[in-house]
Amino acid sequence: MKKLLAVGNWKMNPQTPKKANSLFEIVAGGVKKMKPKNTEVVVCPPFVYLSALSLRDSKILQLGAQDCFWDQSGAYTGEISPQMLKNLGCEYVIVGHSERRKRLNETDEMINAKTIAALDAGLKTILCIGEKEGERDEVARILKIQLQKNLKGIKTSVLARFTIAYEPVWAIGTGDPCRPKDAREARIYIERILTDLFGKQHAAKIRIIYGGSVTSKIARSYIDEGKMEGWLIGGASLHANEFLRIIGSIRD
Ligand code: PGA
């Protein structure tokens, strides 16, 4: 069985290295005490903190980046390559987050190129997909389009390092999470599309997690009822104790 995955997406927070260190330390300390056997825990701080945090014990708490570029090196002012992240000791990277799709106009083609580059660099890659508010009646169709476009040309040999985060855009940062039974339905659609793309055996290697207003009160229902294999956690991951409660909501 695949391990569950708890990923904290800090977004553009906190504002100082001191606060970032302290959040990391408290979470790492809590995870160390909990010793979860069947849950991998990852935090994704802003790029500027990764270097300092990469010197900490990565067995307890793995590091991830919130984005990467689609090429490994070259004249791309301001960009960070997947290979740089890998060389720094990052295990994970998030691509295709809806905030980047919307506010930075990232297209499906750009996200496809980033996904390929991240997997090529050896990073465990989390691709975010999900319908917008006005698309709630056509979830299956939206997920199909996103997956077909974002996963074009992905080799089956890298799928064990690949995770899909189902994040309905309307549920992100709104305090209005998706119902676990609807997440379960989305999971079924995603599995079907992945099976069409890669075949059943390869599709089964891909982890599917839920994101969107996850709190400790509801986290477990996404695993039990939603049949998800973890969570992508934004707001709640900035509160160390709440993040730890989410991780601890599944006892080994
Ligand atoms: P949220 O964010 O938990 O604050 O809704 C989730 C995400 O953006 O990944």
Side-chain angles (χ1 to χ4, degrees):
M1 214 185 97
K2 281 168 263 171
K3 279 191 173 186
L4 294 180
L5 183 63
V7 185
N9 175 11
W10 291 2
K11 308 193 181 183
M12 206 165 69
N13 301 291
Q15 297 310 306
T16 65
K18 200 170 164 204
K19 284 185 181 158
N21 277 339
S22 140
L23 179 57
F24 188 91
E25 285 300 322
I26 301 171
V27 172
V31 176
K32 199 170 184 173
K33 258 197 218 143
M34 224 186 288
K35 292 197 187 73
K37 277 197 219 73
N38 295 318
T39 309
E40 270 185 72
V41 186
V42 182
V43 291
C44 300
F47 285 130
V48 289
Y49 304 138
L50 284 175
S51 195
L53 297 177
S54 70
L55 305 172
R56 312 295 166 112
D57 189 351
S58 64
K59 278 192 211 84
I60 300 164
L61 204 49
Q62 301 182 71
L63 268 190
Q66 298 172 16
D67 182 43
C68 65
F69 193 58
W70 58 70
D71 215 343
Q72 305 297 357
S73 67
Y76 301 107
T77 303
E79 292 298 335
I80 307 284
S81 80
Q83 196 59 58
M84 288 174 180
L85 295 171
K86 184 70 186 166
N87 294 344
L88 194 67
C90 272
E91 288 287 331
Y92 278 86
V93 67
I94 298 170
V95 291
H97 194 282
S98 63
E99 286 154 10
R100 299 193 60 86
R101 289 181 191 257
K102 185 172 174 221
R103 292 173 182 262
L104 294 147
N105 297 323
E106 284 199 4
T107 63
D108 283 317
E109 290 67 32
M110 288 156 87
I111 292 159
N112 176 231
K114 289 183 178 200
T115 307
I116 293 175
L119 287 164
D120 273 354
L123 291 167
K124 294 176 185 165
T125 305
I126 302 166
L127 169 71
C128 303
I129 56 169
E131 78 285 0
K132 300 190 199 95
E133 175 66 45
E135 300 169 335
R136 284 170 85 152
D137 291 338
E138 36 180 359
V139 178
R141 190 180 73 82
I142 298 296
L143 296 180
K144 188 170 179 179
I145 295 171
Q146 287 181 332
L147 287 173
Q148 281 176 339
K149 290 186 172 175
N150 297 168
L151 299 185
K152 214 169 167 183
I154 303 276
K155 293 179 274 194
T156 51
S157 57
V158 297
L159 294 180
R161 276 192 279 116
F162 189 55
T163 295
I164 289 176
Y166 170 59
E167 295 208 301
V169 179
W170 50 266
I172 296 176
T174 57
D176 177 24
C178 172
R179 290 181 302 184
K181 68 172 191 164
D182 295 335
R184 163 104 185 104
E185 204 159 293
R187 183 186 168 105
I188 293 170
Y189 298 146
I190 293 169
E191 277 174 350
R192 254 186 231 148
I193 304 159
L194 294 175
T195 301
D196 282 351
L197 289 173
F198 301 113
K200 199 171 170 137
Q201 225 183 328
H202 291 301
K205 296 179 198 157
I206 302 171
R207 203 155 31 181
I208 305 173
I209 65 175
Y210 169 78
S213 297
V214 173
T215 62
S216 60
K217 282 203 183 73
I218 54 171
R220 190 176 177 129
S221 62
Y222 291 105
I223 311 299
D224 292 347
E225 204 187 322
K227 304 294 172 206
M228 290 285 168
E229 295 161 299
W231 320 268
L232 181 53
I233 305 148
S237 73
L238 295 171
H239 304 280
N241 290 332
E242 174 64 355
F243 188 53
L244 290 168
R245 276 194 292 274
I246 294 173
I247 300 161
S249 67
I250 305 293
R251 289 269 160 236
D252 290 319

